[in-house]
Amino acid sequence: MARPAPPPPPPPPASRPGGGPAVLVLTGRLDRAGIAPLAERVRVLLAERGGGTVTCDVGGLEGAPDIVLVDALVRLQLTARRHGGRIRLRGAGGALRELLALTGLGGLAGLGLEARGEAEQREEPLGVEEGVEPGDPAL
């Protein structure tokens, strides 16, 4: 007696509507005219999934990060929050991180940054204590 064939496996999450990770890949050079369509794409991605996180891959952008990119990221984050989600950055290099810090947005709540590589390991110095002598001027 032959056994019936097992049912086919379910499709991978990326091929199911709303099931895969939401990723928005930025490439080329970004200008102010391109910000509104990106914000709309974030809105659509979040609507399809009922909220959640949109990973914004900025690793493919050309040139040095500038204030237009910062403006775009802030607008994308605001759009995401309005629609029940948030933005997470992937591929953000040191220059973009520094620019975000310089503009006061390095710790922007909810704008997560995924590291490109592993963090540098640092050893704690052993036996080093900082002391203050009476009469030392305050720094």
Side-chain angles (χ1 to χ4, degrees):
M1 186 162 37
R3 292 178 126 187
S15 65
R16 280 185 273 177
V23 179
L24 179 64
V25 179
L26 303 182
T27 59
R29 189 84 180 141
L30 187 62
D31 61 11
R32 291 201 187 276
I35 296 174
L38 290 174
E40 177 61 15
R41 182 68 184 134
V42 166
R43 187 196 66 75
V44 168
L45 286 169
L46 290 170
E48 290 173 353
R49 289 161 175 74
T53 300
V54 174
T55 298
C56 187
D57 189 336
V58 296
L61 289 172
E62 295 174 2
D66 57 14
I67 200 67
V68 174
L69 176 57
V70 171
D71 184 29
L73 295 175
V74 170
R75 289 175 189 245
L76 295 180
Q77 180 68 354
L78 289 172
T79 300
R81 285 190 176 181
R82 288 183 185 130
H83 294 91
R86 69 186 191 110
I87 297 294
R88 172 170 286 290
L89 294 182
R90 179 169 58 198
L96 177 55
R97 291 171 186 265
E98 288 176 19
L99 183 57
L100 289 171
L102 181 65
T103 58
L105 300 171
L108 185 65
L111 189 60
L113 293 169
E114 291 182 12
R116 284 186 117 167
E118 293 185 24
E120 180 181 340
Q121 292 183 358
R122 296 188 179 149
E123 293 183 23
E124 291 291 321
L126 299 176
V128 175
E129 292 184 24
E130 189 170 325
V132 179
E133 295 293 325
D136 280 350
L139 296 177

